[in-house]
Structures are given as structure tokens and as C-alpha cells.
Amino acid sequence: MGSYMVKRIGIAVPLLIMISFLTFVLINLSPLDPAVVVLQAQDIPEVTEELIAQTNEKLGFNQPFMIRYLHWAASCLQLDFGVSYVTGESVWLTIAPAFLNTLKLTLVSSVFIIVMSILLGVACAMREGKMMDKSVRGIAFFLTAIPSYWLASIMIWYFSVHLDLLPTSGMDSYRSYILPVIVLTISYAGIYFRTVRSSMLNQINEDYVLYGRASGLSEKKITMHILRNSLQVAISIFAMAIPIILGSTVVIENVFAWPGLGRLSVKAILSRDFPIIQAYVLIVAVAFVFFNTISDIINAAMNPKLRKDL
Amino acid sequence: MNLLEVENLCIWDAGTNETIVHNSSFHVKQGSCLAIVGESGSGKSVTCRSLMRLNKAWIRQSGDIRFKGEDVNLLSAKEMRKKRGKELCMIMQNGMRAFDPSCVVGVHCKETLGAHFDWSKSEMEAKMKRAMESVMLKDPISLLNKYPHQMSGGMLQRMMIALALVFTPDLIIADEPTTALDTISQYEVIEQLLLLRENMGTSMIFISHDLGVVRKIADDVLVMKDGEIIERGPINMVFTEAQHEYTQYLVSTRRALSHHFKKLIGEEL
Ligand SMILES: Nc1ncnc2c1ncn2[C@@H]1O[C@H](COP(=O)(O)OP(=O)(O)O)[C@@H](O)[C@H]1O
Ligand SMILES: [Mg+2]
């Protein structure tokens, strides 16, 4: 197991290098002259040739591409993502608190999503084809078909404006979490409980379940075996769901005015603040690699067969 | 005396209302081995699972199943569970899939033996060790700490036989225990089943579609086709004077096969 972890983490390193390179290439593929972008972002009224040359010199844009990448990558490792074109402030200082806010929302939602998915998935699988299974699946189908921004708006109108129970926006207390977490849980648990349900059903039909029953094991023991095996599938999906939720809070954050990464990145895109966009893409990608590695390690701990295959 | 008496067993799928087994009656004499042969889908496995009440919820059964004089259909779920493993023991077709892939096989042994006996850990280990050695599984203690994927199909099959040895059930139900194996492992598993019958005198229901194997192990035969028993009788009679043309067909293809096989390996299996 220890050697598996070392190997698995070893794989993540070249992956991270590739991701950072791709991020850099993609952002720099933009047909816009970066110096012009910087000057426009700073609302300079008249962009002259001289100014462009100065800016290029100052920010190192006239150096060869690879040198610029290495320079950028080396600074990223020290959490120095440059300065915002717009405000001139450090990208890290701008993005870190927003990232933290998004992470809080993501983790709280993920806990609810995972707990709800497992509870509903297991309950439905145990009663396959019965009323409970059918109605839960029907309701979930209906709820997940609703766009989340619409659901969010309806909830804000009803709970915050009409009943005046909860804040409409911002991130002031734990009460600010309630609506966004509910909206995210409905959107994602409605999808992921199906995964839990179907992997449970797959396991229920496995021979080891029949053999366990035929040997006189209690239903409780059998259920533990089924859960253990079906959660393996579910855990890797959940671990991947966390960065997906992280990346997709953009909509929710904008509806609820959550001071997070999603809102920041939309603002950065609109004002072409490249260093912020670059850091945003990199952070989300690194989160993917991080959670993916964790999910593989948990899976290997639970399923010995996987450890051999690396 | 008959250990198991089955009368008018009907099995149907409540979802589709399709009948799977029609009005089947048979019995297993104390100490004898009944073989059930028939093509795939003829209802052999469903019949066996019905004896232990292990079919899926939507598969319903009616009729009398008397095991040691008791009607199995009338037992409570708890009483039924007490009989499974200890009195009625199943040996599955595919050992590779019969054990939970994420636990070492010892976990299955510990849990199932623990469900029926109040043995201490060392007692359990000693009994498993002896049983495993007698089915030619070497180094039992380290095998118990292996995952199913680290063992071969034949080893897992013998593992199930070893468990049956420890349980000493009244009836063993072996559902195609050799079908998933290569010829050599098949031979070893059949040898162990024969020894088990010889040493313990356990009654057995043996499902197979290999008449050659059936001939070695069984006393009586049932031939099933499309959920019906179309032929029954002592093993030799079925081989020599089969009434139904399907049985005659099975016997003749078996002859042709074994003739071919004998020519290949130059001896009789
Ligand atoms: N879980 C199930 N649900 C519905 N039908 C089943 C199920 N298991 C078996 N059957 C039906 O019962 C019939 C007999 O199957 P089975 O007893 O497995 O045949 P075999 O003789 O090959 O062991 C098949 O035609 C199959 O359609
Ligand atoms: Mg079968």
C-alpha cells in the first residue's frame, strides 16, 4: 500500500507539469497582444507604440515563450501568480480568499451531496422496483431537470423575499449557506444517488452475495459486503465530483453573490485580467488532480486488486 | 429413507407470469447423489435455489419441499438461515466470483462459520486447516490471508469443498462445480467431491451438463428440459435405456465426445 501511494503520487507530478504548461499555452494562444490588454485593462486612454514597448519590457513579454513559461511556473510554485492587470494587486492575495470561500461552499455542499446520495441510493436499491424507489427516482428526475439558476432564483424569492427567513445573498453567517447548499445538493445528489443505486444493484446480483446467503450469513453482514464493494465505485465518483462542483459554482455564486472563485473568474474574464484567469484555470486543474489522486488511493486501500495494476 | 422430498414444485416469475419450472417432483435418498442434467436455461439452478429459498423476490415457488421431514416453505426466515450452510450447503459454479473480491477468503470462512458455531478463533483455524489440507490445499493459513484474485479457480472451488467439510451438512448442492475449470482442475475437484462423499456419506445434488462427470459421481439422474423433468432413473439405466429422445441425444453426443477425447489422451477419463 505504501509503495502504491508513492507511485500514484509520482504519476501526479508529470501530470501537474503538463497541466501548468497547457494552461500557459492556452491563455497565451489568445490573439490579443498582452501588452495592449494590460494597458486597456488599466484604462489607459491612449495606447501608443512607445507604451506597448515599455510594457513589454517591464512585464517580460518580449522574452522567448519557454523562458516566460519557466519563469511563470517557477513563481507559481512559490504561490506568486503575478499581479492583476486591472488592480495591480497580487493575484494570490486576490484569489486566495475567494478560493477559500468557494472551497467552503464546495465542501459543505459535497458533504450533503454525498450523504444524501448514499442514503437515497442505498434505500432505493434495497427496495428496487417498489413505490419508494420509483417515487424517489421520479422526483429526482424532475428536480435535476430544473436549471439551477432558476431553482436558486425561485428559492431566493420564496424563502428570502416572500418569507424573509434567509439572507438573499452574500456570505455573512451559516444562514447564508442554507440556500446555495440546498440548490447544489438538489442538482448533484439527484444525479449521484443513481450511481450509488446502480452500483448497489450490480453488486446484489453478484455470486458472492448468493454464496454468502447460501452459507447462512445474516442480511446485515451481506449488506455490509455489498456496501463495501459498491461504495468503491461511488467513492471515486464522489472524489471527482468535488472538483466538478468547485468548477461549476460559477452560476450559483453569481446568483447568490457569493464572494468566491466563480464570481472572481467571471469578472476577470470580462475585464481580460489574464493573470487571474490563468491562476483560476490552474487552481481548478490542480484541484482535479488532487482529488483524483485521493480517490485512487482510497480505492486502492479498499480494493487490493487495483494495487497491482500500477 | 429420503433426506429430501420435493413434490409438485412449481416456480414462476411473478413479474412476467412466466413459469420457469413445471410441477417437478423428485427425492434424494439419504447418502445418495442425485444428478440434474440438462441444457443451459432449463431451470436447474432455479430448482436448486428454491430448495434453499434463495431465488430473487419476484421468483415465486409453490409445492412441498420436505427436508429431513420438515417443510422448507413453512420455516421462518431465521430458521431457514440457520439451515443454510450448516445443513444445506451450496458449492457454486464459479469460485472466482463466489468470494467477496475485496476481502481475503479467510473473512468469508470466519463469518460463515461464526454464524453457525461458537468456536474460538484458534479452533476455527485448526478445523479450516485440517479441511483445507484434506482437499490438497497446501499452506492453508497463508491461503486464508489471500484475496480471491490471488488464487486459481480450482483452488477456490476446493476452498468451498473444504468449507463444506467443516460444516458437515446433510445435503450438498453443487451447481456445475467444474464448468468454469480447465480439465486438470476439473479432475482434482471431482476427486475431492468423490472423497467427500466416501468419507462423510453426505447426500448430494450435483448439477452438470457433462454426462461423463455425472456417471462418475451420481447414483440417480434427472434430465431437465425447458423446466420439466423429462427423464429420471438410476444412472446406468439412463445411459443404457433412455426413453426420451433428448436424453438419447445427450448420451450419444457424450459417447461421440468421449470417443474423441479418449483418442486424444489415450485413456478413459
Ligand atoms: N433472476 C431471474 N429472474 C428472472 N428469470 C430468471 C432468473 N433466474 C433464472 N431465470 C429464468 O429461469 C430459467 C432457468 O434458469 P436457470 O435455472 O439458471 O437455468 P440452468 O438450467 O442453466 O441453471 C431461465 O430461462 C431464466 O430466464
Ligand atoms: Mg445454472
Side-chain angles (χ1 to χ4, degrees), chain A residues 128 204-208 210-218 221 225 228-229 232 302-305 308, chain B residues 49 52 54 56 81 84-85 90 92 97-102 108 111-112 115-116 147 149 160 163:
Chain A
E128 189 199 357
I204 284 173
N205 287 320
E206 284 289 322
D207 278 358
Y208 73 82
L210 179 63
Y211 187 50
R213 285 210 178 100
S215 308
L217 285 189
S218 64
K221 282 250 166 65
H225 284 283
R228 186 190 165 116
N229 284 290
Q232 271 170 29
M302 291 174 75
N303 185 348
K305 209 163 162 181
K308 289 199 315 185
Chain B
R49 290 202 286 269
M52 293 174 84
L54 280 174
K56 296 277 171 196
R81 197 172 68 236
R84 293 184 190 139
M90 181 109 91
M92 313 268 297
R97 302 181 52 192
F99 293 89
D100 182 344
S102 45
H108 176 93
E111 286 185 352
T112 53
H116 296 286
Y147 290 94
H149 68 89
M160 287 192 269
L163 265 168

Side-chain angles (χ1 to χ4, degrees), chain B residues 13 20 39-47 49 56 58-59 175-176:
Chain B
D13 185 334
I20 299 172
E39 63 194 0
S40 148
S42 56
K44 307 183 296 289
S45 300
V46 170
T47 300
R49 290 202 286 269
K56 296 277 171 196
W58 58 90
I59 308 258
D175 189 349
E176 311 206 31

Side-chain angles (χ1 to χ4, degrees), chain B residues 44-85:
Chain B
K44 307 183 296 289
S45 300
V46 170
T47 300
C48 285
R49 290 202 286 269
S50 75
L51 304 179
M52 293 174 84
R53 294 209 339 232
L54 280 174
N55 277 312
K56 296 277 171 196
W58 58 90
I59 308 258
R60 305 284 162 75
Q61 62 194 64
S62 73
D64 282 351
I65 301 172
R66 270 190 308 280
F67 174 66
K68 298 205 288 188
E70 248 179 320
D71 192 336
V72 166
N73 283 327
L74 298 181
L75 296 173
S76 71
K78 192 169 170 222
E79 289 168 323
M80 189 69 239
R81 197 172 68 236
K82 289 259 167 270
K83 292 204 185 305
R84 293 184 190 139

Side-chain angles (χ1 to χ4, degrees), chain A residues 24 27-42 47 51-53 55-56 59-63 65 68 85 271-275 278:
Chain A
F24 193 76
I27 302 289
N28 284 280
L29 271 182
S30 160
L32 301 169
D33 183 344
V36 175
V37 173
V38 175
L39 292 170
Q40 278 174 349
Q42 289 168 348
V47 178
L51 260 173
I52 292 178
T55 314
N56 275 335
L59 297 177
F61 290 146
N62 40 15
Q63 280 174 347
F65 186 78
R68 272 162 57 207
Y85 289 172
S271 59
R272 301 218 177 102
D273 201 343
F274 281 8
Q278 223 165 24

Side-chain angles (χ1 to χ4, degrees), chain B residues 1-5 26-36 51 67 87-89 169-174 193-194 196-207 214 216-222 233-235:
Chain B
M1 199 196 104
N2 292 334
L3 178 71
L4 178 79
E5 281 178 349
F26 58 92
H27 59 262
V28 179
K29 288 196 245 6
Q30 183 75 52
S32 81
C33 174
L34 173 73
I36 305 181
L51 304 179
F67 174 66
E87 297 179 33
L88 283 153
C89 188
D170 302 273
L171 179 66
I172 290 178
I173 300 175
L193 284 172
L194 282 171
L196 180 111
R197 285 208 55 210
E198 241 170 62
N199 297 340
M200 304 200 319
T202 315
S203 316
M204 193 182 293
I205 294 181
F206 184 89
I207 301 187
V214 165
K216 281 191 85 162
I217 200 165
D219 305 305
D220 301 288
V221 187
L222 294 181
I235 182 86

Side-chain angles (χ1 to χ4, degrees), chain A residues 2-79:
Chain A
S3 77
Y4 175 87
M5 274 171 73
V6 172
K7 276 194 240 164
R8 185 61 190 78
I9 293 169
I11 288 179
V13 172
L15 204 62
L16 284 172
I17 294 176
M18 243 157 65
I19 285 172
S20 73
F21 186 69
L22 276 177
T23 310
F24 193 76
V25 169
L26 283 176
I27 302 289
N28 284 280
L29 271 182
S30 160
L32 301 169
D33 183 344
V36 175
V37 173
V38 175
L39 292 170
Q40 278 174 349
Q42 289 168 348
D43 279 338
I44 304 286
E46 204 181 339
V47 178
T48 61
E49 287 296 320
E50 197 187 343
L51 260 173
I52 292 178
Q54 261 178 21
T55 314
N56 275 335
E57 184 68 32
K58 196 173 93 192
L59 297 177
F61 290 146
N62 40 15
Q63 280 174 347
F65 186 78
M66 278 313 286
I67 302 284
R68 272 162 57 207
Y69 165 69
L70 288 176
H71 189 75
W72 174 76
S75 345
C76 282
L77 280 180
Q78 299 157 29
L79 296 180

